[in-house]
Amino acid sequence: MEGDDKTAPKSPSGSQTLFRGLDLLDVVAESGTIALPALAKQLGLTRSTTHRLATALVERRFLSQAPREGYSLGSKLLELGYLASQQMDLPRIARPHLEKLWEETEDTVHLGVLDDGRALYLDKLTGRRRINISSRVGDRQPIRSTGLGKALVLDEVEDRLRDLYRSEGPPAPGAPDEAQWIDWMRDYAKRGVAFDLEENEDRIRCVAAPIRGPSGLIVGAISVSGAAQYMDDDRMKALVDDVRDTANAIGRDLGWNGKKTARKG
């Protein structure tokens, strides 16, 4: 007797059938093209049950079937993936996560994306402390001096980072030179987080982390910003996990599978 579903009801409920169908899609997605015997074995179902589920999915174009080869993902999933990507609005998906982070930190929280070599702010939750941070939604801020900007380019190769640094002109007095900035960026890339140490705005510091999309590439970033008096080195270190975890949670809601994909070039 094949499979191990002998104890399952002869007529599975609708939810059981649905979950089995979803499990089947997961197996095909992980395996690529897979023959019926191997598919049934991985699912722990009989060939007849597996064939019945797969046939229904083929009819609805969730799977395709090639003679003597087996099953692979179907064109319907491409359509749904495209529609999902069109419907996924980054600020809308990120907002609940930003609000939670804001409640926990009481500092200003930003969301932004890379826009023609600048950090474009898409959302801002103003902190509760008595400090004014001049950023506004729609602002385009430098990459080199903002935590958010640095987080957006953590995957870039060194030559690209040097181009970005030089494109913003000579550094301000007291700001890191190119060599120091590149060293910082190497360290930030390893840690998956970036800092702004009063480089962009006097007495303002921030901790930022990248958001990854379904491909594993960086599609945005978030930051927590506050006055230096509330953002000493120890507090910034303490915020690292919270900021990074929030960015990762947003990424997962966008379809990120937890794997990093670095830019090539």
Side-chain angles (χ1 to χ4, degrees), residues 155 212-218 252 255-262:
D155 286 351
R212 297 185 183 276
S215 67
L217 294 175
I218 295 172
R252 287 192 294 272
W256 179 49
N257 66 4
K259 296 180 181 179
K260 172 183 173 181
T261 301

Side-chain angles (χ1 to χ4, degrees), residues 97-224:
H97 298 283
L98 301 182
E99 290 176 350
K100 183 175 183 291
L101 185 61
W102 176 77
E103 289 283 354
E104 293 171 350
T105 64
E106 299 189 342
D107 291 301
T108 297
V109 177
H110 293 107
L111 169 73
V113 295
L114 190 63
D115 180 54
D116 194 23
R118 307 280 281 185
L120 173 65
Y121 288 0
L122 298 181
D123 202 357
K124 175 183 178 179
L125 283 71
T126 302
R128 292 172 175 165
R129 307 183 195 278
R130 293 183 178 180
I131 183 70
N132 179 48
I133 295 178
S134 62
S135 59
R136 295 177 299 176
V137 173
D139 278 353
R140 295 173 72 251
Q141 295 289 336
I143 294 296
R144 187 173 70 192
S145 59
T146 60
L148 192 77
K150 294 170 194 167
L152 288 167
V153 297
L154 286 185
D155 286 351
E156 296 289 356
V157 297
E158 187 167 312
D159 285 348
R160 174 60 176 155
L161 291 176
R162 292 188 184 280
D163 288 343
L164 287 168
Y165 184 95
R166 295 167 186 172
S167 71
E168 295 181 11
D177 61 19
E178 183 177 315
Q180 178 65 68
W181 190 79
I182 294 294
D183 284 344
W184 285 1
M185 291 298 293
R186 289 195 193 106
D187 179 58
Y188 294 154
K190 291 177 183 177
R191 300 169 64 184
V193 69
F195 294 159
D196 170 0
L197 302 172
E198 303 179 58
E199 300 153 65
N200 192 58
E201 193 171 346
D202 190 33
R203 296 191 298 277
I204 299 297
R205 290 178 152 203
C206 90
V207 180
I211 299 167
R212 297 185 183 276
S215 67
L217 294 175
I218 295 172
V219 297
I222 63 170
S223 67
V224 172

Side-chain angles (χ1 to χ4, degrees), residues 12-13 15 28 50 70 82 91-92 106 149 155 177 191 210 216 229 242 248:
S13 68
S15 61
V28 175
T50 304
Y82 173 77
R92 175 179 58 80
E106 299 189 342
D155 286 351
D177 61 19
R191 300 169 64 184
Q229 67 193 86
D242 290 338
N248 289 344

